[in-house]
């Protein structure tokens, strides 16, 4: 990932009732875990959670039956403000699915339509080009307040004894502004490095008068709570050493945006050129710095110690806040984190936007137990460093317990839009935990126009909450990278989930514990490319889990082109839900396998129940596997734990009594069979369009009561094409 600072030396799930949920909030659901410090939370904390924004949110009012869905209009954002016109950085999307296409540039003025104050974006470009606005790395300039006072912070020339009301009298630290701000105020932060923990839990705005903490616009604002390790001395070659005091437990070392690998040995220091670090557990840290000098001001060095600064920015149960345009890094747990107060009272209408959230030990951004919060156009990168390389810290064999990059625990009405989420050591985007917060049922979420890739576990995961709308997202994986793995010879490490979209009802996420609430999930116009499983239903150990009134339509799923040789693959996997499935339609999807099957199981569709599927209808899909005729028995799987039954397309249609209007035919992608990006390349969504001669054209059953556009925002018209692109 290209970064913006150039002056460096080179380097060669968990909820019973919400009150009980608080104690478990960052507990080990299969996809999230967090522990906060007593100073910040008063309780041992947990998982991740993320937020939304608008008065009418993600799921809006949804009715389903036999797969038909009707949505109300969807709006985003926390408190409403007036402000500039919307351009590439902040389009909105209506319930019908219409949206303005984004551009690769981050420049422009944006504001009110996302519930944000006016702001200007300068420079930047999308790291993964997509046809809608995402994080670009643009410099963000937030406008002064029009509803209250404006305060200024300047790390270089400020003084905390100043009044902070002008650039000439700026504060030196962000924390100094907290005793001054009131509803409607804005704090503008000039470029610089701010080594502090910012406790925003002490302030709240009001409806119409949020408090905003944002970038002034003259460069990168870095808020860093990493451990300050000094006294570096050269040990040998390019390996340096430094004393570590205070009982710190080191989890990661980052040098000029390169995350060093944890050295496995406990008896020797790493070698020069290894790109590794090692902590002796008590007093000395060793790190191979490549060509960098850790004593030079040009070297950007982070040492991340577990639970050192458990949140760089702690939101607590605060409400009506905007955090905009900051780099947030180095936390011993969550980079930015909200947490509800006792009695189920969480924060409301908190927007985190245009932030670069990176190199935190646990969650990147975690919203917990709140309502109407929003994560908008953020870069959530290389968090959950206690699991780097992937599979470290016992996660390779664990069933769960890790935090996520962008997590939402027990959140009601969240919006997750325009984020670029990658290389996090847990889930990429996770929403979990059945709870009632602020009198609202958790869930009812909107997840749209995000790019999520190469995360340790599931790129997007929905766990034990009702009513989600997942649309126009790109989730993908590069070919398996052994260098990212703690133990590339270990089966569990190599096979760990690696999904594009996961659906589950995990035990600890239930309310009461052990019960299931996932239902009313609408998934359309998404591209899922190169994952071990495109869509997997089946992360559950609860009573009553099933696919309930779900609508999964017009998605394109391309399976992994270079899988680990022993792993089990699937395009679409449906768990053994017994008779719990009901009212679910899976239609108009392309499911494509780009290589021959070298695994025990690699079905385009797999039903894990031995009996015929009930409550789920599959229709008007296009299936294809390169090199396999329609009768190839690797194509479809209907199995029990002891007797897998593999079959060709006609056998599947006959056995499952479904897919009668579907086809087994090459969809004729513009990009041929090579849609999964090579190592180091970005995913090109345009290659997933189909040619004019494709049998997918005209085959889809229109879903005009739900949406009318495709992944790229193009109108679908009267004759619909199967897949995400019209």
């Amino acid at each position: 990932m290209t970064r913006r600072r150039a002056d460096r030396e080179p380097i060669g799930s968990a909820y019973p009732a919400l009150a009980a949920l608080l104690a478990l909030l960052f507990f080990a659901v299969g996809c999230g875990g967090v522990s906060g410090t007593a100073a910040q939370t008063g309780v041992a904390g947990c998982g991740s959670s993320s937020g939304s924004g608008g008065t009418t949110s993600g799921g809006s009012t949804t009715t389903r039956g036999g797969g038909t869905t009707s949505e109300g209009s969807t709006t985003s954002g926390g408190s409403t403000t007036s402000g500039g016109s919307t351009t590439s950085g902040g389009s909105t999307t209506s319930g019908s699915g219409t949206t303005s296409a984004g551009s690769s540039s981050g420049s422009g003025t944006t504001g009110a339509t996302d519930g944000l104050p006016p702001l200007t974006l300068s420079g930047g470009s999308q790291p993964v080009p997509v046809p809608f606005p995402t994080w670009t790395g643009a410099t963000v300039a937030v406008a002064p307040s029009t509803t209250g006072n404006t305060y200024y912070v300047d790390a270089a020339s400020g003084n905390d004894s100043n009044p902070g009301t002008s650039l000439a009298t700026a504060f030196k630290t962000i924390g100094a502004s907290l005793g001054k701000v009131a509803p409607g105020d804005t704090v503008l932060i000039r470029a610089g490095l701010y080594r502090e923990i910012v406790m925003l839990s002490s302030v709240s705005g009001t409806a119409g008068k949020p408090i905003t903490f944002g970038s002034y616009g003259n460069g990168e604002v870095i808020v860093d709570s990493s451990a300050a390790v000094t006294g570096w001395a050269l040990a040998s070659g390019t390996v340096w050493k430094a004393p570590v005091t205070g009982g710190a437990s080191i989890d990661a070392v980052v040098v000029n945006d390169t995350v060093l690998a944890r050295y496995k040995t406990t008896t020797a220091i790493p070698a020069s050129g290894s790109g590794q670090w090692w902590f002796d557990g008590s007093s000395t840290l060793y790190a191979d710095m490549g060509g960098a000098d850790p004593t030079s001001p040009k070297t950007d060095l982070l040492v991340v110690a577990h639970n050192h600064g458990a949140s760089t920015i702690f939101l607590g149960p605060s409400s009506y806040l905007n955090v905009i345009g900051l780099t947030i890094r180095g936390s011993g747990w969550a980079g930015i984190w909200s947490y509800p107060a006792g009695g189920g009272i969480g924060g409301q209408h908190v927007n985190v936007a245009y932030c670069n959230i990176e190199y935190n030990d646990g969650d990147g951004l975690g919203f917990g137990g709140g309502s109407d919060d929003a994560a908008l156009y953020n870069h959530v990168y290389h968090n959950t460093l206690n699991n780097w390389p992937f599979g470290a810290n016992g996660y390779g064999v664990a069933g769960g317990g890790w935090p996520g990059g962008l997590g939402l625990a027990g959140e009601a009405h969240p919006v997750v839009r325009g984020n670029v989420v990658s290389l996090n050591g847990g889930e990429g985007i996770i929403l979990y935990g059945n709870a009632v917060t602020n009198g609202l049922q958790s869930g009812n979420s909107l997840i749209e126009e995000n790019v999520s890739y190469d995360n340790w576990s599931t790129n997007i995961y929905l766990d034990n909450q009702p009513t989600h709308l997942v649309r126009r997202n790109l989730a993908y994986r590069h070919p398996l990278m052994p260098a990212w793995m703690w133990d590339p010879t270990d089966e569990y490490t190599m096979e760990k989930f690696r999904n594009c979209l996961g659906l589950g009802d995990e035990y600890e996420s239930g309310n009461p514990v052990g019960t299931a609430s996932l239902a009313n999930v609408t998934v359309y116009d998404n591209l899922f490319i190169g994952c071990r499983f495109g869509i997997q239903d089946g992360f559950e150990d609860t009573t009553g889990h099933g696919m309930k009134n779900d609508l999964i339509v017009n998605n394109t799923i391309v399976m992994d082109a270079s899988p680990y040789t022993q792993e089990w693959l699937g395009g679409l996997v449906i768990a053994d839900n017994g008779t719990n499935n009901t009212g679910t339609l899976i239609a108009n999807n392309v499911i494509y396998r780009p290589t021959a099957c070298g695994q025990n199981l690699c079905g385009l569709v797999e039903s894990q129940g031995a009996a015929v599927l009930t409550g789920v209808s599959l229709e008007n899909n296009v299936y294809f596997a390169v090199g396999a005729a329609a009768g190839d028995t690797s194509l479809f799987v209907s199995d029990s734990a002891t007797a897998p039954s593999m079959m060709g397309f006609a056998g599947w249609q006959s056995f499952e009594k479904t897919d009668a209007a579907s086809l087994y035919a090459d969809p004729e992608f513009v990009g041929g069979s090579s849609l999964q990006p090579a190592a180091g390349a970005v995913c090109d969504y345009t290659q997933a369009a189909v040619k004019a001669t494709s049998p997918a054209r005209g085959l889809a059953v229109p879903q005009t009561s739900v949406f009318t556009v495709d992944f790229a925002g193009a109108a679908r018209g009267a004759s619909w094409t199967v897949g995400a692109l019209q």
Side-chain angles (χ1 to χ4, degrees):
M1 183 65 62
T2 300
R3 291 291 308 282
R4 301 176 298 289
R5 298 187 293 276
D7 58 337
R8 297 178 177 165
E9 296 182 355
I11 179 171
S13 299
Y15 290 102
L18 187 60
L21 164 67
L22 301 184
L24 293 170
L25 178 58
F26 301 91
F27 175 77
V29 294
C31 299
V34 166
S35 62
T37 64
Q40 289 187 350
T41 66
V43 294
C46 115
S48 19
S49 156
S50 152
S52 108
T55 50
T56 313
S57 103
S60 348
T61 303
T62 307
T63 58
R64 293 174 177 79
T68 58
T69 305
S70 157
E71 296 168 11
S73 63
T74 302
T75 61
S76 81
S79 47
T80 304
T81 60
S82 62
S85 59
T86 302
T87 58
S88 65
S91 71
T92 56
T93 308
S94 74
S96 65
T98 58
T99 185
S100 61
S103 70
S104 59
S105 171
S107 299
T109 303
T110 186
T113 50
D114 277 308
L116 301 174
L119 55 90
T120 300
L121 306 175
S122 302
S125 61
Q126 290 181 319
V128 180
V130 284
F132 40 75
T134 62
W135 181 87
T136 63
T139 298
V140 181
V142 177
S145 175
T146 60
T147 59
N149 297 318
T150 299
Y151 295 96
Y152 298 85
V153 183
D154 190 333
S157 62
N159 188 312
D160 285 349
S161 298
N162 287 339
T165 51
S166 68
L167 286 176
T169 62
F171 298 122
K172 187 174 185 63
T173 66
I174 302 167
S177 70
L178 301 183
K180 300 285 187 179
V181 292
D185 290 351
T186 293
V187 178
L188 297 181
I189 309 164
R190 286 179 61 82
L193 175 62
Y194 296 83
R195 281 196 169 274
E196 56 182 303
I197 295 172
V198 183
M199 300 294 287
L200 298 188
S201 54
S202 63
V203 299
S204 281
T206 60
K209 286 191 172 184
I211 299 174
T212 297
F213 296 83
S215 170
Y216 176 80
N218 65 325
E220 187 173 20
V221 177
I222 304 172
V223 188
D224 185 338
S225 64
S226 64
V229 176
T230 59
W232 289 96
L234 191 63
S236 63
T238 57
V239 177
W240 293 69
K241 65 180 181 179
V244 176
T245 60
S249 176
I250 308 301
D251 270 349
V253 178
V254 185
V255 183
N256 292 347
D257 292 311
T258 295
V259 182
L260 303 187
R262 189 183 313 220
Y263 194 35
K264 294 181 182 180
T265 185
T266 59
T267 60
I269 66 173
S272 293
S274 65
Q276 296 175 325
W277 65 269
W278 177 63
F279 178 49
D280 66 7
S282 60
S283 62
T284 307
L285 172 64
Y286 298 85
D288 175 32
M289 299 287 179
D293 177 354
T295 66
S296 168
K298 291 186 177 182
T299 298
D300 187 19
L301 174 65
L302 284 83
V303 176
V304 180
H306 184 66
N307 276 345
H308 179 276
S311 296
T312 302
I313 296 179
F314 182 57
L315 299 169
S318 295
S319 296
Y320 296 99
L321 297 179
N322 297 314
V323 179
I324 304 173
L326 310 182
T327 289
I328 302 164
R329 71 183 198 182
S331 168
W333 197 249
I336 181 167
W337 183 26
S338 69
Y339 195 83
I345 306 301
Q348 305 175 58
H349 300 278
V350 176
N351 296 317
V352 177
Y354 300 102
C355 288
N356 183 36
I357 306 169
E358 61 183 7
Y359 309 136
N360 296 288
D361 202 39
D363 296 275
L365 167 59
F367 282 126
S371 61
D372 299 293
D373 298 325
L376 305 169
Y377 316 112
N378 299 292
H379 182 222
V380 185
Y381 173 70
H382 235 317
N383 299 285
T384 319
L385 284 178
N386 64 1
N387 188 30
W388 181 261
F390 293 154
N393 209 24
Y395 291 164
V397 296
W402 46 80
L406 197 166
L408 302 78
E411 285 275 314
H413 300 171
V415 172
V416 180
R417 175 187 298 129
N419 302 283
V420 179
V421 183
S422 66
L423 274 180
N424 297 285
E427 278 64 38
I429 299 170
I430 170 177
L431 297 89
Y432 71 95
N434 184 17
V436 175
T437 178
N438 300 328
L440 301 172
Q441 168 64 49
S442 63
N444 287 286
S445 65
L446 172 61
I447 306 104
E448 68 175 357
E449 300 177 354
N450 301 284
V451 178
S452 185
Y453 64 99
D454 290 344
N455 299 290
W456 158 247
S457 184
T458 305
N459 281 305
I460 303 173
Y461 183 45
L462 310 176
D463 172 26
N464 216 324
Q465 291 178 345
T467 316
H468 300 278
L469 176 55
V470 181
R471 63 185 178 191
R472 302 183 68 214
N473 299 281
L474 171 60
Y476 69 95
R477 291 196 183 277
H478 286 94
L480 191 67
M481 300 287 287
W484 292 351
M485 302 298 169
W486 178 248
D487 184 358
T489 67
D490 177 71
E491 175 183 355
Y492 294 101
T493 297
M494 299 298 281
E495 293 186 3
K496 204 65 172 185
F497 301 150
R498 299 177 51 236
N499 295 352
C500 280
L501 174 65
L503 308 174
D505 274 309
E506 297 194 24
Y507 187 85
E508 291 290 346
S509 301
N511 183 13
V513 167
T515 59
S517 65
L518 186 76
N520 304 323
V521 177
T522 299
V523 181
Y524 65 77
D525 280 353
N526 299 282
L527 288 173
F528 299 136
I529 296 176
C531 295
R532 180 183 172 194
F533 303 113
I535 300 176
Q536 184 181 15
D537 163 60
F539 295 92
E540 88 285 337
D541 45 13
T542 58
T543 300
H545 172 80
M547 300 190 75
K548 302 171 183 177
N549 300 316
D550 299 338
L551 181 67
I552 300 175
V553 293
N554 285 97
N555 303 286
T556 296
I557 298 172
V558 178
M559 295 167 62
D560 193 346
S562 55
Y564 175 57
T565 56
Q566 299 180 39
E567 71 182 349
W568 156 42
L569 304 178
L572 168 68
V573 177
I574 302 171
D576 183 1
N577 297 325
T579 59
N580 293 329
N581 298 323
T582 182
T584 291
L585 176 64
I586 302 174
N588 301 352
N589 303 288
V590 174
I591 303 181
Y592 182 89
R593 194 175 75 204
T595 58
C597 182
Q599 283 66 36
N600 293 326
L601 293 176
C602 54
L604 298 169
V605 183
E606 178 178 352
S607 171
Q608 294 181 323
V612 174
L613 269 174
T614 59
V616 177
S617 177
L618 290 91
E619 298 296 342
N620 298 85
N621 300 295
V622 172
Y623 303 109
F624 191 69
V626 172
D632 190 304
T633 57
S634 71
L635 296 176
F636 296 87
V637 181
S638 184
D639 65 1
S640 68
T642 57
S645 179
M646 302 166 68
M647 61 195 78
F649 184 49
W652 168 261
Q653 291 173 306
S654 175
F655 181 81
E656 293 291 357
K657 306 297 188 293
T658 193
D659 263 328
S662 299
L663 290 180
Y664 182 81
D666 189 343
E668 300 181 16
F669 291 126
V670 168
S673 62
S674 302
L675 275 71
Q676 185 175 8
V682 298
C683 188
D684 183 356
Y685 78 90
T686 65
Q687 299 303 294
V690 298
K691 297 177 182 178
T693 55
S694 170
R697 294 196 173 275
L699 180 66
V701 175
Q703 305 288 320
T704 51
S705 64
V706 186
F707 62 103
T708 59
V709 302
D710 72 353
F711 174 85
R716 286 197 174 268
S719 179
W720 282 41
T721 298
V722 171
L725 288 159
Q726 179 65 17

